[in-house]
Amino acid sequence: MADKTRKTSPAEFVNQVRAETRKVVWPTREETIRTAIFVFIMMIVLSLFFLGVDSLFGAVVQWLLTLA
């Protein structure tokens, strides 16, 4: 329990940060390109979906306003 309340020195903090950054596994160029393409495709699909939903709700609201 004493370890949790112990202050970390700046040098020890820098050493801990370096140790953690050595553990990072960076994606390869191919993985990055594949992920970017997937994100772009999903962005297009979802934007078209929400355009359709928005258009449908807009048409329903316009129809309801004609009834009033």
mmCIF file with all atom_site columns, all heavy atoms in Angstrom, residues 13-36:
data_model
loop_
_atom_site.group_PDB
_atom_site.id
_atom_site.type_symbol
_atom_site.label_atom_id
_atom_site.label_alt_id
_atom_site.label_comp_id
_atom_site.label_asym_id
_atom_site.label_entity_id
_atom_site.label_seq_id
_atom_site.pdbx_PDB_ins_code
_atom_site.Cartn_x
_atom_site.Cartn_y
_atom_site.Cartn_z
_atom_site.occupancy
_atom_site.B_iso_or_equiv
_atom_site.pdbx_formal_charge
_atom_site.auth_seq_id
_atom_site.auth_comp_id
_atom_site.auth_asym_id
_atom_site.auth_atom_id
_atom_site.pdbx_PDB_model_num
ATOM 1   N N   . PHE A 1 13 ? 9.815   8.471  -14.120 1.00 0.00 ? 13 PHE A N   1
ATOM 2   C CA  . PHE A 1 13 ? 8.650   8.594  -14.995 1.00 0.00 ? 13 PHE A CA  1
ATOM 3   C C   . PHE A 1 13 ? 9.062   8.474  -16.466 1.00 0.00 ? 13 PHE A C   1
ATOM 4   O O   . PHE A 1 13 ? 8.424   7.760  -17.238 1.00 0.00 ? 13 PHE A O   1
ATOM 5   C CB  . PHE A 1 13 ? 7.951   9.936  -14.743 1.00 0.00 ? 13 PHE A CB  1
ATOM 6   C CG  . PHE A 1 13 ? 6.815   10.209 -15.681 1.00 0.00 ? 13 PHE A CG  1
ATOM 7   C CD1 . PHE A 1 13 ? 5.606   9.549  -15.534 1.00 0.00 ? 13 PHE A CD1 1
ATOM 8   C CD2 . PHE A 1 13 ? 6.962   11.113 -16.725 1.00 0.00 ? 13 PHE A CD2 1
ATOM 9   C CE1 . PHE A 1 13 ? 4.559   9.790  -16.401 1.00 0.00 ? 13 PHE A CE1 1
ATOM 10  C CE2 . PHE A 1 13 ? 5.922   11.356 -17.602 1.00 0.00 ? 13 PHE A CE2 1
ATOM 11  C CZ  . PHE A 1 13 ? 4.716   10.699 -17.434 1.00 0.00 ? 13 PHE A CZ  1
ATOM 12  N N   . VAL A 1 14 ? 10.135  9.161  -16.847 1.00 0.00 ? 14 VAL A N   1
ATOM 13  C CA  . VAL A 1 14 ? 10.613  9.095  -18.225 1.00 0.00 ? 14 VAL A CA  1
ATOM 14  C C   . VAL A 1 14 ? 11.024  7.669  -18.565 1.00 0.00 ? 14 VAL A C   1
ATOM 15  O O   . VAL A 1 14 ? 10.720  7.169  -19.660 1.00 0.00 ? 14 VAL A O   1
ATOM 16  C CB  . VAL A 1 14 ? 11.785  10.088 -18.448 1.00 0.00 ? 14 VAL A CB  1
ATOM 17  C CG1 . VAL A 1 14 ? 12.457  9.856  -19.795 1.00 0.00 ? 14 VAL A CG1 1
ATOM 18  C CG2 . VAL A 1 14 ? 11.288  11.519 -18.339 1.00 0.00 ? 14 VAL A CG2 1
ATOM 19  N N   . ASN A 1 15 ? 11.678  6.975  -17.646 1.00 0.00 ? 15 ASN A N   1
ATOM 20  C CA  . ASN A 1 15 ? 12.060  5.586  -17.892 1.00 0.00 ? 15 ASN A CA  1
ATOM 21  C C   . ASN A 1 15 ? 10.834  4.693  -18.064 1.00 0.00 ? 15 ASN A C   1
ATOM 22  O O   . ASN A 1 15 ? 10.824  3.804  -18.916 1.00 0.00 ? 15 ASN A O   1
ATOM 23  C CB  . ASN A 1 15 ? 12.941  5.059  -16.758 1.00 0.00 ? 15 ASN A CB  1
ATOM 24  C CG  . ASN A 1 15 ? 14.334  5.654  -16.800 1.00 0.00 ? 15 ASN A CG  1
ATOM 25  O OD1 . ASN A 1 15 ? 14.814  6.068  -17.855 1.00 0.00 ? 15 ASN A OD1 1
ATOM 26  N ND2 . ASN A 1 15 ? 14.990  5.703  -15.655 1.00 0.00 ? 15 ASN A ND2 1
ATOM 27  N N   . GLN A 1 16 ? 9.794   4.931  -17.274 1.00 0.00 ? 16 GLN A N   1
ATOM 28  C CA  . GLN A 1 16 ? 8.565   4.146  -17.398 1.00 0.00 ? 16 GLN A CA  1
ATOM 29  C C   . GLN A 1 16 ? 7.877   4.416  -18.738 1.00 0.00 ? 16 GLN A C   1
ATOM 30  O O   . GLN A 1 16 ? 7.368   3.490  -19.383 1.00 0.00 ? 16 GLN A O   1
ATOM 31  C CB  . GLN A 1 16 ? 7.614   4.465  -16.246 1.00 0.00 ? 16 GLN A CB  1
ATOM 32  C CG  . GLN A 1 16 ? 8.074   3.939  -14.908 1.00 0.00 ? 16 GLN A CG  1
ATOM 33  C CD  . GLN A 1 16 ? 7.161   4.385  -13.774 1.00 0.00 ? 16 GLN A CD  1
ATOM 34  O OE1 . GLN A 1 16 ? 6.235   5.167  -13.971 1.00 0.00 ? 16 GLN A OE1 1
ATOM 35  N NE2 . GLN A 1 16 ? 7.432   3.878  -12.580 1.00 0.00 ? 16 GLN A NE2 1
ATOM 36  N N   . VAL A 1 17 ? 7.890   5.679  -19.170 1.00 0.00 ? 17 VAL A N   1
ATOM 37  C CA  . VAL A 1 17 ? 7.288   6.025  -20.451 1.00 0.00 ? 17 VAL A CA  1
ATOM 38  C C   . VAL A 1 17 ? 8.044   5.345  -21.582 1.00 0.00 ? 17 VAL A C   1
ATOM 39  O O   . VAL A 1 17 ? 7.442   4.775  -22.505 1.00 0.00 ? 17 VAL A O   1
ATOM 40  C CB  . VAL A 1 17 ? 7.257   7.556  -20.646 1.00 0.00 ? 17 VAL A CB  1
ATOM 41  C CG1 . VAL A 1 17 ? 6.896   7.917  -22.083 1.00 0.00 ? 17 VAL A CG1 1
ATOM 42  C CG2 . VAL A 1 17 ? 6.282   8.191  -19.679 1.00 0.00 ? 17 VAL A CG2 1
ATOM 43  N N   . ARG A 1 18 ? 9.379   5.372  -21.539 1.00 0.00 ? 18 ARG A N   1
ATOM 44  C CA  . ARG A 1 18 ? 10.180  4.707  -22.568 1.00 0.00 ? 18 ARG A CA  1
ATOM 45  C C   . ARG A 1 18 ? 9.906   3.208  -22.590 1.00 0.00 ? 18 ARG A C   1
ATOM 46  O O   . ARG A 1 18 ? 9.788   2.606  -23.664 1.00 0.00 ? 18 ARG A O   1
ATOM 47  C CB  . ARG A 1 18 ? 11.664  4.961  -22.334 1.00 0.00 ? 18 ARG A CB  1
ATOM 48  C CG  . ARG A 1 18 ? 12.095  6.344  -22.740 1.00 0.00 ? 18 ARG A CG  1
ATOM 49  C CD  . ARG A 1 18 ? 13.589  6.492  -22.610 1.00 0.00 ? 18 ARG A CD  1
ATOM 50  N NE  . ARG A 1 18 ? 13.990  7.835  -22.993 1.00 0.00 ? 18 ARG A NE  1
ATOM 51  C CZ  . ARG A 1 18 ? 15.107  8.410  -22.623 1.00 0.00 ? 18 ARG A CZ  1
ATOM 52  N NH1 . ARG A 1 18 ? 15.957  7.761  -21.839 1.00 0.00 ? 18 ARG A NH1 1
ATOM 53  N NH2 . ARG A 1 18 ? 15.397  9.626  -23.023 1.00 0.00 ? 18 ARG A NH2 1
ATOM 54  N N   . ALA A 1 19 ? 9.785   2.605  -21.411 1.00 0.00 ? 19 ALA A N   1
ATOM 55  C CA  . ALA A 1 19 ? 9.514   1.170  -21.343 1.00 0.00 ? 19 ALA A CA  1
ATOM 56  C C   . ALA A 1 19 ? 8.151   0.846  -21.959 1.00 0.00 ? 19 ALA A C   1
ATOM 57  O O   . ALA A 1 19 ? 8.002   -0.165 -22.661 1.00 0.00 ? 19 ALA A O   1
ATOM 58  C CB  . ALA A 1 19 ? 9.578   0.688  -19.896 1.00 0.00 ? 19 ALA A CB  1
ATOM 59  N N   . GLU A 1 20 ? 7.162   1.683  -21.708 1.00 0.00 ? 20 GLU A N   1
ATOM 60  C CA  . GLU A 1 20 ? 5.829   1.443  -22.262 1.00 0.00 ? 20 GLU A CA  1
ATOM 61  C C   . GLU A 1 20 ? 5.798   1.662  -23.772 1.00 0.00 ? 20 GLU A C   1
ATOM 62  O O   . GLU A 1 20 ? 5.127   0.926  -24.490 1.00 0.00 ? 20 GLU A O   1
ATOM 63  C CB  . GLU A 1 20 ? 4.793   2.341  -21.585 1.00 0.00 ? 20 GLU A CB  1
ATOM 64  C CG  . GLU A 1 20 ? 4.489   1.953  -20.151 1.00 0.00 ? 20 GLU A CG  1
ATOM 65  C CD  . GLU A 1 20 ? 3.897   0.562  -20.026 1.00 0.00 ? 20 GLU A CD  1
ATOM 66  O OE1 . GLU A 1 20 ? 3.053   0.187  -20.860 1.00 0.00 ? 20 GLU A OE1 1
ATOM 67  O OE2 . GLU A 1 20 ? 4.299   -0.152 -19.099 1.00 0.00 ? 20 GLU A OE2 1
ATOM 68  N N   . THR A 1 21 ? 6.530   2.682  -24.263 1.00 0.00 ? 21 THR A N   1
ATOM 69  C CA  . THR A 1 21 ? 6.509   2.921  -25.703 1.00 0.00 ? 21 THR A CA  1
ATOM 70  C C   . THR A 1 21 ? 7.237   1.821  -26.461 1.00 0.00 ? 21 THR A C   1
ATOM 71  O O   . THR A 1 21 ? 6.930   1.570  -27.636 1.00 0.00 ? 21 THR A O   1
ATOM 72  C CB  . THR A 1 21 ? 7.138   4.285  -26.068 1.00 0.00 ? 21 THR A CB  1
ATOM 73  O OG1 . THR A 1 21 ? 8.443   4.372  -25.496 1.00 0.00 ? 21 THR A OG1 1
ATOM 74  C CG2 . THR A 1 21 ? 6.279   5.419  -25.564 1.00 0.00 ? 21 THR A CG2 1
ATOM 75  N N   . ARG A 1 22 ? 8.172   1.124  -25.821 1.00 0.00 ? 22 ARG A N   1
ATOM 76  C CA  . ARG A 1 22 ? 8.817   -0.016 -26.470 1.00 0.00 ? 22 ARG A CA  1
ATOM 77  C C   . ARG A 1 22 ? 7.842   -1.165 -26.666 1.00 0.00 ? 22 ARG A C   1
ATOM 78  O O   . ARG A 1 22 ? 8.040   -2.014 -27.532 1.00 0.00 ? 22 ARG A O   1
ATOM 79  C CB  . ARG A 1 22 ? 10.019  -0.491 -25.645 1.00 0.00 ? 22 ARG A CB  1
ATOM 80  C CG  . ARG A 1 22 ? 11.252  0.341  -25.892 1.00 0.00 ? 22 ARG A CG  1
ATOM 81  C CD  . ARG A 1 22 ? 12.480  -0.288 -25.247 1.00 0.00 ? 22 ARG A CD  1
ATOM 82  N NE  . ARG A 1 22 ? 13.245  0.760  -24.586 1.00 0.00 ? 22 ARG A NE  1
ATOM 83  C CZ  . ARG A 1 22 ? 13.325  0.953  -23.269 1.00 0.00 ? 22 ARG A CZ  1
ATOM 84  N NH1 . ARG A 1 22 ? 12.721  0.128  -22.445 1.00 0.00 ? 22 ARG A NH1 1
ATOM 85  N NH2 . ARG A 1 22 ? 14.026  1.945  -22.777 1.00 0.00 ? 22 ARG A NH2 1
ATOM 86  N N   . LYS A 1 23 ? 6.766   -1.218 -25.876 1.00 0.00 ? 23 LYS A N   1
ATOM 87  C CA  . LYS A 1 23 ? 5.778   -2.291 -25.970 1.00 0.00 ? 23 LYS A CA  1
ATOM 88  C C   . LYS A 1 23 ? 4.757   -2.055 -27.084 1.00 0.00 ? 23 LYS A C   1
ATOM 89  O O   . LYS A 1 23 ? 4.025   -2.962 -27.451 1.00 0.00 ? 23 LYS A O   1
ATOM 90  C CB  . LYS A 1 23 ? 5.017   -2.438 -24.652 1.00 0.00 ? 23 LYS A CB  1
ATOM 91  C CG  . LYS A 1 23 ? 5.880   -2.854 -23.482 1.00 0.00 ? 23 LYS A CG  1
ATOM 92  C CD  . LYS A 1 23 ? 5.041   -2.906 -22.214 1.00 0.00 ? 23 LYS A CD  1
ATOM 93  C CE  . LYS A 1 23 ? 5.876   -3.133 -20.984 1.00 0.00 ? 23 LYS A CE  1
ATOM 94  N NZ  . LYS A 1 23 ? 5.047   -3.102 -19.775 1.00 0.00 ? 23 LYS A NZ  1
ATOM 95  N N   . VAL A 1 24 ? 4.712   -0.822 -27.610 1.00 0.00 ? 24 VAL A N   1
ATOM 96  C CA  . VAL A 1 24 ? 3.718   -0.481 -28.630 1.00 0.00 ? 24 VAL A CA  1
ATOM 97  C C   . VAL A 1 24 ? 4.027   -1.237 -29.917 1.00 0.00 ? 24 VAL A C   1
ATOM 98  O O   . VAL A 1 24 ? 5.167   -1.261 -30.376 1.00 0.00 ? 24 VAL A O   1
ATOM 99  C CB  . VAL A 1 24 ? 3.700   1.042  -28.897 1.00 0.00 ? 24 VAL A CB  1
ATOM 100 C CG1 . VAL A 1 24 ? 2.791   1.375  -30.076 1.00 0.00 ? 24 VAL A CG1 1
ATOM 101 C CG2 . VAL A 1 24 ? 3.268   1.790  -27.652 1.00 0.00 ? 24 VAL A CG2 1
ATOM 102 N N   . VAL A 1 25 ? 2.987   -1.845 -30.495 1.00 0.00 ? 25 VAL A N   1
ATOM 103 C CA  . VAL A 1 25 ? 3.125   -2.532 -31.774 1.00 0.00 ? 25 VAL A CA  1
ATOM 104 C C   . VAL A 1 25 ? 2.459   -1.652 -32.820 1.00 0.00 ? 25 VAL A C   1
ATOM 105 O O   . VAL A 1 25 ? 1.243   -1.489 -32.822 1.00 0.00 ? 25 VAL A O   1
ATOM 106 C CB  . VAL A 1 25 ? 2.454   -3.926 -31.735 1.00 0.00 ? 25 VAL A CB  1
ATOM 107 C CG1 . VAL A 1 25 ? 2.567   -4.611 -33.083 1.00 0.00 ? 25 VAL A CG1 1
ATOM 108 C CG2 . VAL A 1 25 ? 3.054   -4.771 -30.638 1.00 0.00 ? 25 VAL A CG2 1
ATOM 109 N N   . TRP A 1 26 ? 3.271   -1.068 -33.685 1.00 0.00 ? 26 TRP A N   1
ATOM 110 C CA  . TRP A 1 26 ? 2.749   -0.168 -34.695 1.00 0.00 ? 26 TRP A CA  1
ATOM 111 C C   . TRP A 1 26 ? 2.226   -0.975 -35.879 1.00 0.00 ? 26 TRP A C   1
ATOM 112 O O   . TRP A 1 26 ? 2.800   -1.989 -36.248 1.00 0.00 ? 26 TRP A O   1
ATOM 113 C CB  . TRP A 1 26 ? 3.843   0.793  -35.156 1.00 0.00 ? 26 TRP A CB  1
ATOM 114 C CG  . TRP A 1 26 ? 4.299   1.691  -34.054 1.00 0.00 ? 26 TRP A CG  1
ATOM 115 C CD1 . TRP A 1 26 ? 5.421   1.553  -33.316 1.00 0.00 ? 26 TRP A CD1 1
ATOM 116 C CD2 . TRP A 1 26 ? 3.621   2.828  -33.537 1.00 0.00 ? 26 TRP A CD2 1
ATOM 117 N NE1 . TRP A 1 26 ? 5.496   2.546  -32.386 1.00 0.00 ? 26 TRP A NE1 1
ATOM 118 C CE2 . TRP A 1 26 ? 4.407   3.346  -32.484 1.00 0.00 ? 26 TRP A CE2 1
ATOM 119 C CE3 . TRP A 1 26 ? 2.427   3.465  -33.860 1.00 0.00 ? 26 TRP A CE3 1
ATOM 120 C CZ2 . TRP A 1 26 ? 4.040   4.474  -31.770 1.00 0.00 ? 26 TRP A CZ2 1
ATOM 121 C CZ3 . TRP A 1 26 ? 2.057   4.585  -33.136 1.00 0.00 ? 26 TRP A CZ3 1
ATOM 122 C CH2 . TRP A 1 26 ? 2.856   5.078  -32.110 1.00 0.00 ? 26 TRP A CH2 1
ATOM 123 N N   . PRO A 1 27 ? 1.127   -0.524 -36.494 1.00 0.00 ? 27 PRO A N   1
ATOM 124 C CA  . PRO A 1 27 ? 0.600   -1.253 -37.652 1.00 0.00 ? 27 PRO A CA  1
ATOM 125 C C   . PRO A 1 27 ? 1.535   -1.104 -38.856 1.00 0.00 ? 27 PRO A C   1
ATOM 126 O O   . PRO A 1 27 ? 2.235   -0.102 -38.988 1.00 0.00 ? 27 PRO A O   1
ATOM 127 C CB  . PRO A 1 27 ? -0.743  -0.585 -37.927 1.00 0.00 ? 27 PRO A CB  1
ATOM 128 C CG  . PRO A 1 27 ? -0.630  0.773  -37.335 1.00 0.00 ? 27 PRO A CG  1
ATOM 129 C CD  . PRO A 1 27 ? 0.298   0.640  -36.159 1.00 0.00 ? 27 PRO A CD  1
ATOM 130 N N   . THR A 1 28 ? 1.482   -2.089 -39.723 1.00 0.00 ? 28 THR A N   1
ATOM 131 C CA  . THR A 1 28 ? 2.274   -2.016 -40.949 1.00 0.00 ? 28 THR A CA  1
ATOM 132 C C   . THR A 1 28 ? 1.606   -1.045 -41.914 1.00 0.00 ? 28 THR A C   1
ATOM 133 O O   . THR A 1 28 ? 0.456   -0.633 -41.714 1.00 0.00 ? 28 THR A O   1
ATOM 134 C CB  . THR A 1 28 ? 2.382   -3.397 -41.617 1.00 0.00 ? 28 THR A CB  1
ATOM 135 O OG1 . THR A 1 28 ? 1.068   -3.815 -42.003 1.00 0.00 ? 28 THR A OG1 1
ATOM 136 C CG2 . THR A 1 28 ? 3.008   -4.427 -40.690 1.00 0.00 ? 28 THR A CG2 1
ATOM 137 N N   . ARG A 1 29 ? 2.311   -0.688 -42.965 1.00 0.00 ? 29 ARG A N   1
ATOM 138 C CA  . ARG A 1 29 ? 1.754   0.217  -43.971 1.00 0.00 ? 29 ARG A CA  1
ATOM 139 C C   . ARG A 1 29 ? 0.504   -0.385 -44.602 1.00 0.00 ? 29 ARG A C   1
ATOM 140 O O   . ARG A 1 29 ? -0.487  0.311  -44.814 1.00 0.00 ? 29 ARG A O   1
ATOM 141 C CB  . ARG A 1 29 ? 2.820   0.503  -45.030 1.00 0.00 ? 29 ARG A CB  1
ATOM 142 C CG  . ARG A 1 29 ? 2.384   1.491  -46.083 1.00 0.00 ? 29 ARG A CG  1
ATOM 143 C CD  . ARG A 1 29 ? 3.539   1.787  -47.045 1.00 0.00 ? 29 ARG A CD  1
ATOM 144 N NE  . ARG A 1 29 ? 3.160   2.738  -48.056 1.00 0.00 ? 29 ARG A NE  1
ATOM 145 C CZ  . ARG A 1 29 ? 3.228   4.047  -47.911 1.00 0.00 ? 29 ARG A CZ  1
ATOM 146 N NH1 . ARG A 1 29 ? 3.671   4.555  -46.770 1.00 0.00 ? 29 ARG A NH1 1
ATOM 147 N NH2 . ARG A 1 29 ? 2.867   4.844  -48.897 1.00 0.00 ? 29 ARG A NH2 1
ATOM 148 N N   . GLU A 1 30 ? 0.549   -1.690 -44.881 1.00 0.00 ? 30 GLU A N   1
ATOM 149 C CA  . GLU A 1 30 ? -0.596  -2.354 -45.495 1.00 0.00 ? 30 GLU A CA  1
ATOM 150 C C   . GLU A 1 30 ? -1.805  -2.333 -44.568 1.00 0.00 ? 30 GLU A C   1
ATOM 151 O O   . GLU A 1 30 ? -2.937  -2.112 -45.014 1.00 0.00 ? 30 GLU A O   1
ATOM 152 C CB  . GLU A 1 30 ? -0.249  -3.801 -45.866 1.00 0.00 ? 30 GLU A CB  1
ATOM 153 C CG  . GLU A 1 30 ? 0.783   -3.930 -46.975 1.00 0.00 ? 30 GLU A CG  1
ATOM 154 C CD  . GLU A 1 30 ? 2.206   -3.713 -46.492 1.00 0.00 ? 30 GLU A CD  1
ATOM 155 O OE1 . GLU A 1 30 ? 2.473   -3.900 -45.284 1.00 0.00 ? 30 GLU A OE1 1
ATOM 156 O OE2 . GLU A 1 30 ? 3.055   -3.340 -47.321 1.00 0.00 ? 30 GLU A OE2 1
ATOM 157 N N   . GLU A 1 31 ? -1.592  -2.582 -43.272 1.00 0.00 ? 31 GLU A N   1
ATOM 158 C CA  . GLU A 1 31 ? -2.702  -2.546 -42.308 1.00 0.00 ? 31 GLU A CA  1
ATOM 159 C C   . GLU A 1 31 ? -3.296  -1.146 -42.225 1.00 0.00 ? 31 GLU A C   1
ATOM 160 O O   . GLU A 1 31 ? -4.527  -0.986 -42.149 1.00 0.00 ? 31 GLU A O   1
ATOM 161 C CB  . GLU A 1 31 ? -2.218  -2.979 -40.927 1.00 0.00 ? 31 GLU A CB  1
ATOM 162 C CG  . GLU A 1 31 ? -1.901  -4.444 -40.808 1.00 0.00 ? 31 GLU A CG  1
ATOM 163 C CD  . GLU A 1 31 ? -1.264  -4.790 -39.480 1.00 0.00 ? 31 GLU A CD  1
ATOM 164 O OE1 . GLU A 1 31 ? -0.547  -3.950 -38.903 1.00 0.00 ? 31 GLU A OE1 1
ATOM 165 O OE2 . GLU A 1 31 ? -1.491  -5.917 -39.012 1.00 0.00 ? 31 GLU A OE2 1
ATOM 166 N N   . THR A 1 32 ? -2.446  -0.129 -42.253 1.00 0.00 ? 32 THR A N   1
ATOM 167 C CA  . THR A 1 32 ? -2.927  1.250  -42.175 1.00 0.00 ? 32 THR A CA  1
ATOM 168 C C   . THR A 1 32 ? -3.756  1.608  -43.403 1.00 0.00 ? 32 THR A C   1
ATOM 169 O O   . THR A 1 32 ? -4.835  2.199  -43.286 1.00 0.00 ? 32 THR A O   1
ATOM 170 C CB  . THR A 1 32 ? -1.736  2.213  -42.045 1.00 0.00 ? 32 THR A CB  1
ATOM 171 O OG1 . THR A 1 32 ? -0.962  1.833  -40.907 1.00 0.00 ? 32 THR A OG1 1
ATOM 172 C CG2 . THR A 1 32 ? -2.202  3.639  -41.878 1.00 0.00 ? 32 THR A CG2 1
ATOM 173 N N   . ILE A 1 33 ? -3.276  1.220  -44.585 1.00 0.00 ? 33 ILE A N   1
ATOM 174 C CA  . ILE A 1 33 ? -4.013  1.513  -45.816 1.00 0.00 ? 33 ILE A CA  1
ATOM 175 C C   . ILE A 1 33 ? -5.336  0.760  -45.836 1.00 0.00 ? 33 ILE A C   1
ATOM 176 O O   . ILE A 1 33 ? -6.388  1.321  -46.167 1.00 0.00 ? 33 ILE A O   1
ATOM 177 C CB  . ILE A 1 33 ? -3.151  1.166  -47.052 1.00 0.00 ? 33 ILE A CB  1
ATOM 178 C CG1 . ILE A 1 33 ? -1.977  2.140  -47.138 1.00 0.00 ? 33 ILE A CG1 1
ATOM 179 C CG2 . ILE A 1 33 ? -3.978  1.183  -48.321 1.00 0.00 ? 33 ILE A CG2 1
ATOM 180 C CD1 . ILE A 1 33 ? -0.945  1.769  -48.171 1.00 0.00 ? 33 ILE A CD1 1
ATOM 181 N N   . ARG A 1 34 ? -5.316  -0.526 -45.444 1.00 0.00 ? 34 ARG A N   1
ATOM 182 C CA  . ARG A 1 34 ? -6.540  -1.333 -45.424 1.00 0.00 ? 34 ARG A CA  1
ATOM 183 C C   . ARG A 1 34 ? -7.563  -0.737 -44.454 1.00 0.00 ? 34 ARG A C   1
ATOM 184 O O   . ARG A 1 34 ? -8.754  -0.646 -44.769 1.00 0.00 ? 34 ARG A O   1
ATOM 185 C CB  . ARG A 1 34 ? -6.197  -2.759 -45.013 1.00 0.00 ? 34 ARG A CB  1
ATOM 186 C CG  . ARG A 1 34 ? -7.300  -3.743 -45.264 1.00 0.00 ? 34 ARG A CG  1
ATOM 187 C CD  . ARG A 1 34 ? -6.858  -5.158 -45.001 1.00 0.00 ? 34 ARG A CD  1
ATOM 188 N NE  . ARG A 1 34 ? -5.441  -5.310 -45.331 1.00 0.00 ? 34 ARG A NE  1
ATOM 189 C CZ  . ARG A 1 34 ? -4.605  -6.116 -44.688 1.00 0.00 ? 34 ARG A CZ  1
ATOM 190 N NH1 . ARG A 1 34 ? -5.029  -6.859 -43.705 1.00 0.00 ? 34 ARG A NH1 1
ATOM 191 N NH2 . ARG A 1 34 ? -3.345  -6.199 -45.036 1.00 0.00 ? 34 ARG A NH2 1
ATOM 192 N N   . THR A 1 35 ? -7.111  -0.314 -43.293 1.00 0.00 ? 35 THR A N   1
ATOM 193 C CA  . THR A 1 35 ? -8.018  0.276  -42.310 1.00 0.00 ? 35 THR A CA  1
ATOM 194 C C   . THR A 1 35 ? -8.583  1.600  -42.822 1.00 0.00 ? 35 THR A C   1
ATOM 195 O O   . THR A 1 35 ? -9.774  1.879  -42.643 1.00 0.00 ? 35 THR A O   1
ATOM 196 C CB  . THR A 1 35 ? -7.283  0.489  -40.976 1.00 0.00 ? 35 THR A CB  1
ATOM 197 O OG1 . THR A 1 35 ? -6.755  -0.759 -40.536 1.00 0.00 ? 35 THR A OG1 1
ATOM 198 C CG2 . THR A 1 35 ? -8.207  1.034  -39.911 1.00 0.00 ? 35 THR A CG2 1
ATOM 199 N N   . ALA A 1 36 ? -7.752  2.420  -43.448 1.00 0.00 ? 36 ALA A N   1
ATOM 200 C CA  . ALA A 1 36 ? -8.219  3.702  -43.977 1.00 0.00 ? 36 ALA A CA  1
ATOM 201 C C   . ALA A 1 36 ? -9.266  3.488  -45.062 1.00 0.00 ? 36 ALA A C   1
ATOM 202 O O   . ALA A 1 36 ? -10.282 4.203  -45.109 1.00 0.00 ? 36 ALA A O   1
ATOM 203 C CB  . ALA A 1 36 ? -7.040  4.498  -44.520 1.00 0.00 ? 36 ALA A CB  1
#
